[in-house]
Amino acid sequence: MTPTLITETKPEDWTYISEGGATIVFSYRGPHNVQFSDHVLRLRKVAHGSSDNTLLDTNSEQPDDLMIAFQENIISKVVPSEFLPSLVMVVLDEDWLRSLVILRDGDRPAERRQTDQIDVRRTKGVLATDLIGGMPIAMEIKPKWGFLPTEYHLSPETVALKTGTCRFCMHTSFRMEQGAVGTTYCPLDLFSSDDTRVRKALGALWAGWYESNGSLNNLRFFVQGRMTKPDDDHSVQLLAHFFTADGSTDVQNFRQSFTSVLAQALLDSPVLSLLSTLQRTLDVLDVEGLSKLYTQTLPDLPYNGLGSSVPDPSMDEWKDFVKIYHSDYHSWNHTVPSPRHLRHYLMAYLLSATFKDCSIIISPKSTQVGSFDVTIIDMDIKSMDRLGKWERLDRKIVEHYKSSGSQRRCIDSQRVTQLGCTRL
């Protein structure tokens, strides 16, 4: 198969859309091209001053190769293809990338430009379905963790906290203590499948977007292919015309209309229920239980952190794991996990982390007024060397929350019948 070359386009054909911690996204706006029209280009970033000057071979395997293979071979086996974007590898060119930086770096947020840049040494990138650029409006939500852990593997010191307050709400408290912008959003409301609670979650997401001037990344709006902030009067006016009957930009009216429209779109879609199920069934031990199983199974190895002595799974191992997940996995006794299943439990936790960290794009269907498509994006493969970091972070978050005066009661609708998420 002939590779797709980015040099078949001009840098000026691409418009900046958005970026995360590791990647940056551009939308194709050039002349019609079968390979590039209706696609976005996802490029890797690198921190300023990075000392790694290694040139990467076009024929060698790179993270984006793994990401594409991971979706094709693993993600697509647990998520229906209708909820996934297409992903294709594209060959890059350093001079082309440098020209793109000159043209578009000024479109990036100032705080991003100060910390990192496009990695012009990369020889491969990803072309994905453009879920934003071809739409008058689109929204991105990062739902986060949609469940509470069971008590079986939690310590006496953490069980009450972890089964009463969700991970996101505890993490928000931890971040606010460090000076980050706060939010009242609770993922368990969004994942509840209850109209009142879903509206509450969306209202909190909207408030976070509005009050932070778009700096919180759990909700993003895109108007005519560009990320929009609350102080962009023209774009907000276009959003208001879409969501409200009279085009009113009154804050409360806009918020209520947005939550009403989006709540129905999400309740009509199986995506959130699917994500919650995948998250909770793959993370059955919590990081605490996983750590206990790891130390019990490998007592003679030096403990440098959870997963520190375990190599990353090969793609063939991931394929085997998915087969096990669809068969034997659900019949295992997760209350008393077997040491012989350690590697599979580690892989399950990594895959759960992928679904905890993904985003969904909600965009209006062009063929049906009032209906929306919901697509899951950013499902990157996670590495074993992240487990130790997550274990330490989990401990810090819980210790902070235990010492804080404020607590929050979060309700997992799949575990109890009581609804709501209220302050204690």
Side-chain angles (χ1 to χ4, degrees):
M1 182 177 177
T2 303
T4 301
L5 307 177
I6 197 63
T7 50
E8 294 176 13
T9 70
K10 299 177 180 178
E12 51 264 37
D13 293 336
W14 298 88
T15 300
Y16 172 82
I17 294 292
S18 65
E19 60 190 286
T23 59
I24 183 169
V25 180
F26 297 86
S27 176
Y28 181 75
R29 303 297 172 82
H32 179 73
N33 184 302
V34 174
Q35 293 176 308
F36 297 100
S37 293
D38 301 321
H39 283 77
V40 295
L41 174 65
R42 175 171 162 163
L43 300 173
R44 294 279 168 178
K45 300 195 298 181
V46 64
H48 290 310
S50 172
S51 59
D52 182 7
N53 295 315
T54 304
L55 290 176
L56 299 168
D57 183 356
T58 306
N59 295 317
S60 66
E61 193 172 71
Q62 297 179 22
D64 293 317
D65 296 308
L66 291 175
M67 183 183 71
I68 293 172
F70 193 60
Q71 175 166 308
E72 289 179 351
N73 296 296
I74 310 306
I75 299 296
S76 64
K77 300 300 186 291
V78 292
V79 176
S81 59
E82 63 190 287
F83 304 125
L84 299 174
S86 69
L87 300 178
V88 178
M89 191 271 288
V90 60
V91 177
L92 304 176
D93 174 82
E94 183 171 346
D95 291 337
W96 190 98
L97 290 174
R98 292 188 183 280
S99 297
L100 182 67
V101 171
I102 293 171
L103 280 170
R104 303 302 183 206
D105 204 51
D107 297 334
R108 302 174 61 207
E111 62 273 17
R112 295 287 192 182
R113 296 199 304 270
Q114 293 171 2
T115 58
D116 53 37
Q117 62 190 20
I118 293 173
D119 189 348
V120 298
R121 302 162 302 173
R122 291 283 171 189
T123 58
K124 296 177 184 178
V126 174
L127 287 177
T129 308
D130 191 349
L131 304 168
I132 292 170
M135 300 293 173
I137 72 154
M139 292 132 288
E140 178 183 352
I141 293 177
K142 189 177 280 291
K144 305 305 284 187
W145 295 33
F147 69 102
L148 293 175
T150 59
E151 66 276 10
Y152 301 117
H153 303 289
L154 305 180
S155 69
E157 294 76 26
T158 66
V159 63
L161 292 176
K162 284 190 172 183
T163 57
T165 306
C166 78
R167 167 57 181 264
F168 181 85
C169 289
M170 286 195 287
H171 202 174
T172 296
S173 174
F174 179 71
R175 285 171 169 163
M176 289 175 66
E177 183 73 19
Q178 297 179 318
V181 178
T183 177
T184 60
Y185 166 66
C186 176
L188 300 193
D189 287 330
L190 190 71
F191 283 101
S192 68
S193 299
D194 175 75
D195 180 71
T196 300
R197 293 183 65 192
V198 172
R199 287 174 184 248
K200 179 182 178 182
L202 290 168
L205 286 171
W206 191 94
W209 171 78
Y210 186 83
E211 293 165 6
S212 71
N213 195 33
S215 66
L216 287 178
N217 71 348
N218 292 98
L219 173 66
R220 289 171 172 169
F221 287 100
F222 298 87
V223 176
Q224 296 176 339
R226 297 184 67 87
M227 190 167 67
T228 296
K229 294 190 174 183
D231 60 2
D232 183 344
D233 293 338
H234 175 67
S235 294
V236 169
Q237 186 69 55
L238 293 175
L239 281 172
H241 276 293
F242 182 86
F243 285 110
T244 64
D246 57 359
S248 170
T249 55
D250 173 75
V251 173
Q252 289 304 317
N253 186 31
F254 188 3
R255 175 177 174 172
Q256 290 174 4
S257 298
F258 160 74
T259 58
S260 177
V261 172
L262 260 289
Q264 193 58 54
L266 293 176
L267 289 168
D268 287 342
S269 169
V271 163
L272 288 177
S273 177
L274 174 62
L275 286 177
S276 177
T277 298
L278 288 168
Q279 289 178 13
R280 73 174 69 234
T281 57
L282 289 162
D283 178 9
V284 288
L285 305 185
D286 186 78
V287 73
E288 288 187 47
L290 194 61
S291 180
K292 291 177 188 175
L293 182 64
Y294 183 80
T295 54
Q296 291 168 2
T297 306
L298 304 171
D300 298 327
L301 290 179
Y303 190 79
N304 298 318
L306 179 60
S308 58
S309 302
V310 180
D312 282 330
S314 67
M315 195 56 63
D316 285 338
E317 285 182 290
W318 277 117
K319 291 176 183 178
D320 289 340
F321 171 76
V322 170
K323 292 177 183 176
I324 291 171
Y325 175 75
H326 283 306
S327 56
D328 298 346
Y329 179 85
H330 297 282
S331 64
W332 293 351
N333 183 357
H334 299 307
T335 305
V336 186
S338 170
R340 65 189 179 91
H341 293 147
L342 171 63
R343 186 160 178 80
H344 289 136
Y345 278 119
L346 292 170
M347 295 172 68
Y349 193 87
L350 293 181
L351 190 53
S352 177
T354 292
F355 293 116
K356 293 168 185 170
D357 201 36
C358 70
S359 293
I360 59 174
I361 297 291
I362 305 124
S363 55
K365 291 183 178 180
S366 58
T367 57
Q368 193 173 353
V369 177
S371 296
F372 293 81
D373 286 315
V374 182
T375 307
I376 309 172
I377 64 169
D378 295 344
M379 286 176 289
D380 292 339
I381 189 170
K382 307 295 184 182
S383 299
M384 287 285 182
D385 60 12
R386 303 282 294 277
L387 290 170
K389 175 185 176 182
W390 292 336
E391 181 186 21
R392 293 188 295 272
L393 179 60
D394 181 80
R395 193 178 303 120
K396 286 182 180 179
I397 289 171
V398 176
E399 287 175 353
H400 165 267
Y401 202 72
K402 186 176 182 179
S403 65
S404 69
S406 176
Q407 292 188 5
R408 184 169 181 165
R409 180 68 176 171
C410 303
I411 307 300
D412 185 341
S413 63
Q414 291 197 28
R415 296 187 60 196
V416 295
T417 56
Q418 181 186 2
L419 300 178
C421 183
T422 57
R423 296 279 180 186
L424 288 179

mmCIF file of all heavy atoms in Angstrom, residues 263-297:
data_model
loop_
_atom_site.group_PDB
_atom_site.id
_atom_site.type_symbol
_atom_site.label_atom_id
_atom_site.label_comp_id
_atom_site.label_asym_id
_atom_site.label_seq_id
_atom_site.Cartn_x
_atom_site.Cartn_y
_atom_site.Cartn_z
ATOM 1 N N ALA A 263 -28.225 16.960 27.226
ATOM 2 C CA ALA A 263 -28.683 15.846 28.060
ATOM 3 C C ALA A 263 -29.444 14.831 27.220
ATOM 4 O O ALA A 263 -29.221 13.618 27.336
ATOM 5 C CB ALA A 263 -29.553 16.356 29.202
ATOM 6 N N GLN A 264 -30.318 15.319 26.358
ATOM 7 C CA GLN A 264 -31.085 14.406 25.524
ATOM 8 C C GLN A 264 -30.184 13.657 24.555
ATOM 9 O O GLN A 264 -30.354 12.453 24.323
ATOM 10 C CB GLN A 264 -32.157 15.179 24.748
ATOM 11 C CG GLN A 264 -33.199 14.278 24.089
ATOM 12 C CD GLN A 264 -33.920 13.405 25.096
ATOM 13 O OE1 GLN A 264 -34.482 13.896 26.080
ATOM 14 N NE2 GLN A 264 -33.903 12.095 24.880
ATOM 15 N N ALA A 265 -29.191 14.363 23.992
ATOM 16 C CA ALA A 265 -28.258 13.717 23.059
ATOM 17 C C ALA A 265 -27.490 12.591 23.745
ATOM 18 O O ALA A 265 -27.312 11.507 23.183
ATOM 19 C CB ALA A 265 -27.294 14.754 22.495
ATOM 20 N N LEU A 266 -27.053 12.828 24.973
ATOM 21 C CA LEU A 266 -26.278 11.817 25.689
ATOM 22 C C LEU A 266 -27.149 10.673 26.183
ATOM 23 O O LEU A 266 -26.720 9.513 26.199
ATOM 24 C CB LEU A 266 -25.539 12.464 26.866
ATOM 25 C CG LEU A 266 -24.436 13.451 26.469
ATOM 26 C CD1 LEU A 266 -23.840 14.111 27.703
ATOM 27 C CD2 LEU A 266 -23.339 12.760 25.665
ATOM 28 N N LEU A 267 -28.375 10.978 26.595
ATOM 29 C CA LEU A 267 -29.279 9.925 27.043
ATOM 30 C C LEU A 267 -29.716 9.037 25.880
ATOM 31 O O LEU A 267 -30.022 7.853 26.075
ATOM 32 C CB LEU A 267 -30.503 10.540 27.723
ATOM 33 C CG LEU A 267 -30.237 11.181 29.096
ATOM 34 C CD1 LEU A 267 -31.429 12.008 29.540
ATOM 35 C CD2 LEU A 267 -29.909 10.116 30.139
ATOM 36 N N ASP A 268 -29.737 9.595 24.681
ATOM 37 C CA ASP A 268 -30.113 8.819 23.487
ATOM 38 C C ASP A 268 -28.967 7.942 22.987
ATOM 39 O O ASP A 268 -29.176 7.066 22.146
ATOM 40 C CB ASP A 268 -30.544 9.761 22.356
ATOM 41 C CG ASP A 268 -31.903 10.394 22.613
ATOM 42 O OD1 ASP A 268 -32.650 9.878 23.464
ATOM 43 O OD2 ASP A 268 -32.204 11.412 21.965
ATOM 44 N N SER A 269 -27.759 8.193 23.477
ATOM 45 C CA SER A 269 -26.584 7.459 23.002
ATOM 46 C C SER A 269 -26.147 6.427 24.039
ATOM 47 O O SER A 269 -26.206 6.673 25.244
ATOM 48 C CB SER A 269 -25.426 8.439 22.745
ATOM 49 O OG SER A 269 -24.209 7.743 22.517
ATOM 50 N N PRO A 270 -25.655 5.272 23.595
ATOM 51 C CA PRO A 270 -25.146 4.251 24.532
ATOM 52 C C PRO A 270 -23.698 4.472 24.948
ATOM 53 O O PRO A 270 -23.148 3.669 25.714
ATOM 54 C CB PRO A 270 -25.285 2.959 23.727
ATOM 55 C CG PRO A 270 -25.059 3.398 22.315
ATOM 56 C CD PRO A 270 -25.669 4.779 22.205
ATOM 57 N N VAL A 271 -23.059 5.536 24.479
ATOM 58 C CA VAL A 271 -21.623 5.703 24.654
ATOM 59 C C VAL A 271 -21.218 5.810 26.119
ATOM 60 O O VAL A 271 -20.274 5.138 26.565
ATOM 61 C CB VAL A 271 -21.118 6.929 23.853
ATOM 62 C CG1 VAL A 271 -19.739 7.366 24.347
ATOM 63 C CG2 VAL A 271 -21.049 6.587 22.377
ATOM 64 N N LEU A 272 -21.892 6.634 26.912
ATOM 65 C CA LEU A 272 -21.496 6.797 28.304
ATOM 66 C C LEU A 272 -21.676 5.501 29.095
ATOM 67 O O LEU A 272 -20.837 5.145 29.926
ATOM 68 C CB LEU A 272 -22.271 7.936 28.962
ATOM 69 C CG LEU A 272 -21.884 9.345 28.506
ATOM 70 C CD1 LEU A 272 -22.773 10.382 29.185
ATOM 71 C CD2 LEU A 272 -20.417 9.641 28.798
ATOM 72 N N SER A 273 -22.762 4.802 28.841
ATOM 73 C CA SER A 273 -22.980 3.525 29.515
ATOM 74 C C SER A 273 -21.894 2.531 29.147
ATOM 75 O O SER A 273 -21.391 1.781 30.004
ATOM 76 C CB SER A 273 -24.358 2.961 29.141
ATOM 77 O OG SER A 273 -24.559 1.692 29.717
ATOM 78 N N LEU A 274 -21.506 2.523 27.899
ATOM 79 C CA LEU A 274 -20.437 1.636 27.432
ATOM 80 C C LEU A 274 -19.116 1.967 28.118
ATOM 81 O O LEU A 274 -18.408 1.066 28.599
ATOM 82 C CB LEU A 274 -20.287 1.761 25.918
ATOM 83 C CG LEU A 274 -19.128 1.014 25.262
ATOM 84 C CD1 LEU A 274 -19.264 -0.476 25.458
ATOM 85 C CD2 LEU A 274 -19.033 1.363 23.776
ATOM 86 N N LEU A 275 -18.775 3.257 28.182
ATOM 87 C CA LEU A 275 -17.520 3.658 28.822
ATOM 88 C C LEU A 275 -17.497 3.281 30.299
ATOM 89 O O LEU A 275 -16.495 2.780 30.809
ATOM 90 C CB LEU A 275 -17.307 5.167 28.665
ATOM 91 C CG LEU A 275 -16.905 5.668 27.285
ATOM 92 C CD1 LEU A 275 -16.803 7.192 27.284
ATOM 93 C CD2 LEU A 275 -15.588 5.054 26.837
ATOM 94 N N SER A 276 -18.603 3.524 30.989
ATOM 95 C CA SER A 276 -18.672 3.186 32.407
ATOM 96 C C SER A 276 -18.491 1.688 32.624
ATOM 97 O O SER A 276 -17.754 1.257 33.524
ATOM 98 C CB SER A 276 -20.009 3.641 32.999
ATOM 99 O OG SER A 276 -20.118 3.265 34.350
ATOM 100 N N THR A 277 -19.136 0.886 31.797
ATOM 101 C CA THR A 277 -19.024 -0.569 31.917
ATOM 102 C C THR A 277 -17.595 -1.033 31.681
ATOM 103 O O THR A 277 -17.055 -1.865 32.429
ATOM 104 C CB THR A 277 -19.973 -1.264 30.935
ATOM 105 O OG1 THR A 277 -21.320 -0.908 31.258
ATOM 106 C CG2 THR A 277 -19.822 -2.775 31.001
ATOM 107 N N LEU A 278 -16.964 -0.500 30.648
ATOM 108 C CA LEU A 278 -15.583 -0.884 30.351
ATOM 109 C C LEU A 278 -14.645 -0.457 31.475
ATOM 110 O O LEU A 278 -13.774 -1.227 31.904
ATOM 111 C CB LEU A 278 -15.147 -0.259 29.021
ATOM 112 C CG LEU A 278 -15.769 -0.865 27.768
ATOM 113 C CD1 LEU A 278 -15.491 0.010 26.551
ATOM 114 C CD2 LEU A 278 -15.250 -2.284 27.535
ATOM 115 N N GLN A 279 -14.804 0.752 31.972
ATOM 116 C CA GLN A 279 -13.949 1.235 33.054
ATOM 117 C C GLN A 279 -14.040 0.333 34.280
ATOM 118 O O GLN A 279 -13.038 -0.112 34.835
ATOM 119 C CB GLN A 279 -14.338 2.662 33.443
ATOM 120 C CG GLN A 279 -13.995 3.728 32.428
ATOM 121 C CD GLN A 279 -14.463 5.098 32.872
ATOM 122 O OE1 GLN A 279 -14.833 5.304 34.032
ATOM 123 N NE2 GLN A 279 -14.460 6.052 31.962
ATOM 124 N N ARG A 280 -15.277 0.051 34.719
ATOM 125 C CA ARG A 280 -15.439 -0.667 35.988
ATOM 126 C C ARG A 280 -15.120 -2.156 35.867
ATOM 127 O O ARG A 280 -14.640 -2.763 36.815
ATOM 128 C CB ARG A 280 -16.854 -0.445 36.547
ATOM 129 C CG ARG A 280 -17.965 -1.166 35.836
ATOM 130 C CD ARG A 280 -19.297 -0.991 36.561
ATOM 131 N NE ARG A 280 -19.813 0.367 36.484
ATOM 132 C CZ ARG A 280 -20.159 1.098 37.545
ATOM 133 N NH1 ARG A 280 -20.049 0.587 38.758
ATOM 134 N NH2 ARG A 280 -20.623 2.306 37.397
ATOM 135 N N THR A 281 -15.385 -2.755 34.727
ATOM 136 C CA THR A 281 -15.094 -4.191 34.588
ATOM 137 C C THR A 281 -13.614 -4.453 34.356
ATOM 138 O O THR A 281 -13.117 -5.544 34.663
ATOM 139 C CB THR A 281 -15.908 -4.813 33.442
ATOM 140 O OG1 THR A 281 -15.635 -4.111 32.218
ATOM 141 C CG2 THR A 281 -17.404 -4.763 33.736
ATOM 142 N N LEU A 282 -12.903 -3.476 33.831
ATOM 143 C CA LEU A 282 -11.463 -3.638 33.629
ATOM 144 C C LEU A 282 -10.666 -3.262 34.875
ATOM 145 O O LEU A 282 -9.590 -3.804 35.123
ATOM 146 C CB LEU A 282 -11.008 -2.784 32.438
ATOM 147 C CG LEU A 282 -11.466 -3.289 31.066
ATOM 148 C CD1 LEU A 282 -11.354 -2.193 30.019
ATOM 149 C CD2 LEU A 282 -10.664 -4.519 30.651
ATOM 150 N N ASP A 283 -11.191 -2.342 35.672
ATOM 151 C CA ASP A 283 -10.537 -1.958 36.924
ATOM 152 C C ASP A 283 -11.319 -2.556 38.088
ATOM 153 O O ASP A 283 -12.019 -1.857 38.819
ATOM 154 C CB ASP A 283 -10.475 -0.425 37.036
ATOM 155 C CG ASP A 283 -9.836 0.047 38.342
ATOM 156 O OD1 ASP A 283 -9.297 -0.801 39.073
ATOM 157 O OD2 ASP A 283 -9.905 1.263 38.614
ATOM 158 N N VAL A 284 -11.205 -3.868 38.271
ATOM 159 C CA VAL A 284 -11.993 -4.556 39.303
ATOM 160 C C VAL A 284 -11.266 -4.621 40.644
ATOM 161 O O VAL A 284 -11.884 -4.929 41.668
ATOM 162 C CB VAL A 284 -12.371 -5.988 38.857
ATOM 163 C CG1 VAL A 284 -13.420 -5.951 37.764
ATOM 164 C CG2 VAL A 284 -11.136 -6.759 38.414
ATOM 165 N N LEU A 285 -9.959 -4.343 40.654
ATOM 166 C CA LEU A 285 -9.179 -4.468 41.882
ATOM 167 C C LEU A 285 -8.871 -3.126 42.530
ATOM 168 O O LEU A 285 -8.473 -3.095 43.702
ATOM 169 C CB LEU A 285 -7.854 -5.192 41.608
ATOM 170 C CG LEU A 285 -7.909 -6.572 40.952
ATOM 171 C CD1 LEU A 285 -6.508 -7.174 40.881
ATOM 172 C CD2 LEU A 285 -8.847 -7.496 41.695
ATOM 173 N N ASP A 286 -9.060 -2.032 41.819
ATOM 174 C CA ASP A 286 -8.547 -0.722 42.217
ATOM 175 C C ASP A 286 -7.021 -0.820 42.242
ATOM 176 O O ASP A 286 -6.447 -1.919 42.297
ATOM 177 C CB ASP A 286 -9.087 -0.281 43.585
ATOM 178 C CG ASP A 286 -8.692 1.149 43.950
ATOM 179 O OD1 ASP A 286 -9.325 2.072 43.430
ATOM 180 O OD2 ASP A 286 -7.726 1.330 44.715
ATOM 181 N N VAL A 287 -6.343 0.294 42.187
ATOM 182 C CA VAL A 287 -4.881 0.272 42.177
ATOM 183 C C VAL A 287 -4.337 -0.321 43.469
ATOM 184 O O VAL A 287 -3.248 -0.919 43.480
ATOM 185 C CB VAL A 287 -4.327 1.695 41.911
ATOM 186 C CG1 VAL A 287 -4.513 2.600 43.131
ATOM 187 C CG2 VAL A 287 -2.863 1.637 41.496
ATOM 188 N N GLU A 288 -5.099 -0.214 44.572
ATOM 189 C CA GLU A 288 -4.649 -0.817 45.833
ATOM 190 C C GLU A 288 -4.610 -2.341 45.741
ATOM 191 O O GLU A 288 -3.640 -2.987 46.130
ATOM 192 C CB GLU A 288 -5.574 -0.404 46.977
ATOM 193 C CG GLU A 288 -5.434 1.037 47.411
ATOM 194 C CD GLU A 288 -6.250 1.319 48.666
ATOM 195 O OE1 GLU A 288 -6.168 0.523 49.618
ATOM 196 O OE2 GLU A 288 -6.978 2.330 48.687
ATOM 197 N N GLY A 289 -5.691 -2.928 45.243
ATOM 198 C CA GLY A 289 -5.735 -4.377 45.096
ATOM 199 C C GLY A 289 -4.727 -4.880 44.093
ATOM 200 O O GLY A 289 -4.124 -5.953 44.266
ATOM 201 N N LEU A 290 -4.523 -4.095 43.038
ATOM 202 C CA LEU A 290 -3.536 -4.469 42.022
ATOM 203 C C LEU A 290 -2.133 -4.477 42.631
ATOM 204 O O LEU A 290 -1.331 -5.380 42.361
ATOM 205 C CB LEU A 290 -3.609 -3.481 40.854
ATOM 206 C CG LEU A 290 -2.915 -3.873 39.555
ATOM 207 C CD1 LEU A 290 -3.508 -5.148 38.973
ATOM 208 C CD2 LEU A 290 -2.999 -2.734 38.545
ATOM 209 N N SER A 291 -1.843 -3.486 43.472
ATOM 210 C CA SER A 291 -0.537 -3.417 44.124
ATOM 211 C C SER A 291 -0.328 -4.602 45.072
ATOM 212 O O SER A 291 0.768 -5.189 45.115
ATOM 213 C CB SER A 291 -0.414 -2.102 44.897
ATOM 214 O OG SER A 291 0.837 -1.998 45.535
ATOM 215 N N LYS A 292 -1.353 -4.975 45.816
ATOM 216 C CA LYS A 292 -1.252 -6.135 46.712
ATOM 217 C C LYS A 292 -0.967 -7.408 45.927
ATOM 218 O O LYS A 292 -0.098 -8.202 46.295
ATOM 219 C CB LYS A 292 -2.550 -6.300 47.502
ATOM 220 C CG LYS A 292 -2.831 -5.223 48.527
ATOM 221 C CD LYS A 292 -4.188 -5.471 49.174
ATOM 222 C CE LYS A 292 -4.601 -4.319 50.054
ATOM 223 N NZ LYS A 292 -5.986 -4.502 50.591
ATOM 224 N N LEU A 293 -1.700 -7.607 44.834
ATOM 225 C CA LEU A 293 -1.502 -8.802 44.022
ATOM 226 C C LEU A 293 -0.100 -8.822 43.429
ATOM 227 O O LEU A 293 0.547 -9.882 43.361
ATOM 228 C CB LEU A 293 -2.553 -8.851 42.913
ATOM 229 C CG LEU A 293 -2.516 -10.080 41.993
ATOM 230 C CD1 LEU A 293 -2.808 -11.354 42.782
ATOM 231 C CD2 LEU A 293 -3.520 -9.915 40.840
ATOM 232 N N TYR A 294 0.393 -7.674 43.025
ATOM 233 C CA TYR A 294 1.732 -7.562 42.425
ATOM 234 C C TYR A 294 2.811 -7.969 43.421
ATOM 235 O O TYR A 294 3.714 -8.766 43.100
ATOM 236 C CB TYR A 294 1.943 -6.124 41.953
ATOM 237 C CG TYR A 294 3.261 -5.873 41.252
ATOM 238 C CD1 TYR A 294 3.430 -6.218 39.912
ATOM 239 C CD2 TYR A 294 4.326 -5.282 41.918
ATOM 240 C CE1 TYR A 294 4.631 -5.971 39.251
ATOM 241 C CE2 TYR A 294 5.531 -5.038 41.278
ATOM 242 C CZ TYR A 294 5.667 -5.381 39.944
ATOM 243 O OH TYR A 294 6.869 -5.144 39.304
ATOM 244 N N THR A 295 2.748 -7.438 44.639
ATOM 245 C CA THR A 295 3.768 -7.749 45.647
ATOM 246 C C THR A 295 3.660 -9.193 46.139
ATOM 247 O O THR A 295 4.673 -9.826 46.458
ATOM 248 C CB THR A 295 3.663 -6.787 46.840
ATOM 249 O OG1 THR A 295 2.330 -6.806 47.362
ATOM 250 C CG2 THR A 295 4.001 -5.370 46.416
ATOM 251 N N GLN A 296 2.440 -9.734 46.189
ATOM 252 C CA GLN A 296 2.269 -11.129 46.603
ATOM 253 C C GLN A 296 2.798 -12.103 45.548
ATOM 254 O O GLN A 296 3.354 -13.152 45.879
ATOM 255 C CB GLN A 296 0.790 -11.414 46.873
ATOM 256 C CG GLN A 296 0.236 -10.712 48.099
ATOM 257 C CD GLN A 296 -1.282 -10.794 48.169
ATOM 258 O OE1 GLN A 296 -1.932 -11.413 47.326
ATOM 259 N NE2 GLN A 296 -1.857 -10.147 49.181
ATOM 260 N N THR A 297 2.612 -11.721 44.282
ATOM 261 C CA THR A 297 3.001 -12.617 43.190
ATOM 262 C C THR A 297 4.499 -12.560 42.915
ATOM 263 O O THR A 297 5.117 -13.567 42.545
ATOM 264 C CB THR A 297 2.223 -12.242 41.907
ATOM 265 O OG1 THR A 297 0.818 -12.221 42.182
ATOM 266 C CG2 THR A 297 2.500 -13.231 40.788
#
